[in-house]
Amino acid sequence: MAAPRSPTRARERERSHAPAAGSDQVHYWTLATSQALDTVWRMAKGFVILAVSFLMAAVCYFRRLHLYSGHKLKWWIGYLQRKFKRNLSVEAEVDLLSYCAREWKGETPRTKLMRKAYEELFWRHHIKCVRQVKRDNYDALRSVLFQIFSQGISFPSWMKEKDIVKLPEKLLFSQGCNWIQQYSFGPEKYTGSNVFGKLRKCVELLKTQWTEFNGIRDYHKRGSMCNTLFSDAILEYKLYEALKFIMLYQVTEVYEQMKTKKVIPSLFRLLFSRETSSDPLSFMMNHLNSVGDTSGLEQIDMFILGYSLEVKIKVFRLFKFNSRDFEVCYPEEPLRDWPEISLLTENDRHYHIPVF
């Protein structure tokens, strides 16, 4: 018969198994904690990667959106500026010598000549500023008309005696000038039976604007109105075509006088002595129709313009400095005490407005 187990031995065996059980529990909790931390890390890492990817995608998207919006905004700003900004064809006054220094740099003979010419204008002729005029084939007409309006110069005497709006029809019905249907409106090159209606509208606009400017006594108000008028290209061109027609009308009138053996101004004798302008039709076809399109006014045209508007046009020809042709007048001998306006040119093609 087996002897009964000693209680002391049983307690010793339980003590020997207790540390093993505790070690298993510690290992279990360590493993569980490690797995939990590993899971949390993987989740956090995935979240971070996802967040970074989302952030990078968002940055790329907003960068592209910024570039696209900036491009569109720039386009709209340019569009609105073009639409609402006054595109003045006669710019504001700038200091004469500063303009010269900006435009004529270097030490070439022509550059030195131009600088001396501008200094001559500044010191001897007391011209302190200049207004730049848009460079196109209307700029001579633009320079003259701007000063007529800004100075409030009145109508020529012959315009006060006639309704200039009816002059197109007068040339057709009274003087039989059917050839006027070949009149060309600058770059438009329009011809046809409706030319009289178009000319009438142009001349009517000239009469209306001239009357309005002449009736304003405040110099600054006239200047403000000039800035408005000379920023409207459509109205401008109609006015210049009206001036061209006024010149043509005067040439036709003087030609009729010459045919009846009347004394005519010498400048018209010179005009009719040329093969390309021996009569009003050839003058229109060979010279006037190209004005505003492929060419500007020639010197002989400047004489006719001054005569037609009854203004003395003084021109400082800077490229002729130190010669007798540096300062010329159109016409050279005005028939009456006509008002004077001044222009300056560097090449006889483009004109600017001097400010005394």
Side-chain angles (χ1 to χ4, degrees):
M1 184 172 178
R5 293 182 178 179
S6 172
T8 305
R9 284 178 142 180
R11 283 195 295 270
E12 288 178 354
R13 281 196 298 269
E14 288 176 3
R15 284 196 208 94
S16 64
H17 287 298
S23 176
D24 290 342
Q25 290 181 354
V26 169
H27 178 72
Y28 171 77
W29 284 110
T30 301
L31 182 62
T33 302
S34 176
Q35 291 178 345
L37 289 176
D38 187 59
T39 302
V40 171
W41 168 246
R42 285 199 302 269
M43 293 177 61
K45 183 179 179 180
F47 177 77
V48 169
I49 292 174
L50 181 64
V52 170
S53 300
F54 176 79
L55 183 61
M56 291 179 64
V59 168
C60 291
Y61 171 78
F62 283 110
R63 184 172 180 272
R64 294 181 63 183
L65 181 63
H66 172 73
L67 293 175
Y68 176 79
S69 302
H71 175 74
K72 282 295 182 181
L73 181 62
K74 184 177 180 180
W75 186 89
W76 276 106
I77 290 174
Y79 171 78
L80 294 174
Q81 285 179 339
R82 291 191 301 271
K83 187 173 181 63
F84 296 106
K85 181 182 177 181
R86 286 183 178 177
N87 184 23
L88 297 180
S89 59
V90 179
E91 297 183 13
E93 300 175 8
V94 295
D95 180 75
L96 183 74
L97 295 184
S98 298
Y99 169 79
C100 171
R102 184 177 71 246
E103 296 293 323
W104 295 98
K105 299 177 182 179
E107 296 299 326
T108 65
R110 179 172 174 79
T111 298
K112 292 179 180 179
L113 179 72
M114 285 298 174
R115 287 203 292 261
K116 289 180 180 179
Y118 274 105
E119 289 173 1
E120 176 81 0
L121 294 182
F122 185 86
W123 295 110
R124 184 173 179 180
H125 297 277
H126 308 292
I127 297 174
K128 304 303 180 185
C129 297
V130 63
R131 300 187 74 137
Q132 292 179 257
V133 177
K134 180 181 178 180
R135 289 175 177 261
D136 60 15
N137 289 316
Y138 282 118
D139 61 359
L141 294 171
R142 180 181 292 112
S143 302
V144 170
L145 189 62
F146 181 90
Q147 292 189 78
I148 288 176
F149 283 177
S150 64
Q151 295 179 27
I153 296 174
S154 61
F155 281 107
S157 57
W158 68 270
M159 284 190 186
K160 297 175 182 177
E161 301 167 358
K162 299 178 181 180
D163 184 1
I164 62 174
V165 177
K166 298 179 180 179
L167 294 183
E169 286 82 358
K170 180 184 177 184
L171 285 184
L172 175 62
F173 298 113
S174 300
Q175 298 175 254
C177 300
N178 293 325
W179 46 263
I180 202 173
Q181 294 185 32
Q182 301 177 66
Y183 183 93
S184 180
F185 293 82
E188 186 178 345
K189 292 181 170 53
Y190 177 89
T191 57
S193 58
N194 195 38
V195 68
F196 298 100
K198 290 176 68 68
L199 281 173
R200 184 185 179 97
K201 290 180 180 178
C202 292
V203 175
E204 186 174 15
L205 177 65
L206 176 65
K207 180 181 179 180
T208 301
Q209 292 292 332
W210 201 331
T211 301
E212 185 175 0
F213 277 95
N214 183 240
I216 298 174
R217 294 290 170 256
D218 185 83
Y219 172 79
H220 297 289
K221 186 175 181 180
R222 288 199 304 268
S224 176
M225 290 178 60
C226 278
N227 289 338
T228 301
L229 177 61
F230 287 86
S231 62
D232 189 326
I234 296 177
L235 291 182
E236 273 193 81
Y237 295 150
K238 289 181 179 179
L239 294 173
Y240 306 145
E241 291 301 324
L243 291 181
K244 285 170 53 180
F245 173 74
I246 294 298
M247 294 169 62
L248 178 61
Y249 174 80
Q250 282 295 321
V251 168
T252 306
E253 286 283 287
V254 175
Y255 184 74
E256 294 298 321
Q257 295 172 12
M258 186 182 71
K259 285 171 38 176
T260 60
K261 306 302 181 181
K262 291 183 179 180
V263 179
I264 63 174
S266 58
L267 68 97
F268 286 98
R269 288 198 299 271
L270 175 62
L271 175 72
F272 296 133
S273 68
R274 302 189 305 178
E275 292 184 2
T276 58
S277 58
S278 57
D279 55 40
L281 173 58
S282 60
F283 170 68
M284 182 187 77
M285 296 298 295
N286 297 323
H287 298 277
L288 205 59
N289 274 358
S290 63
V291 173
D293 181 21
T294 59
S295 65
L297 295 185
E298 301 176 11
Q299 280 190 281
I300 187 67
D301 302 327
M302 296 290 285
F303 280 107
I304 297 170
L305 180 62
Y307 178 88
S308 302
L309 302 180
E310 294 186 358
V311 292
K312 179 181 179 182
I313 305 174
K314 179 188 290 186
V315 179
F316 296 99
R317 306 168 74 202
L318 304 188
F319 66 104
K320 294 289 186 179
F321 180 63
N322 276 341
S323 73
R324 62 189 301 269
D325 294 325
F326 174 64
E327 182 181 340
V328 297
C329 292
Y330 307 111
E332 292 179 344
E333 299 176 358
L335 302 182
R336 301 175 184 83
D337 187 20
W338 291 347
E340 180 178 294
I341 61 177
S342 298
L343 309 177
L344 65 84
T345 178
E346 298 171 346
N347 51 23
D348 267 353
R349 293 191 303 274
H350 299 294
Y351 295 84
H352 297 308
I353 300 173
V355 181
F356 293 85

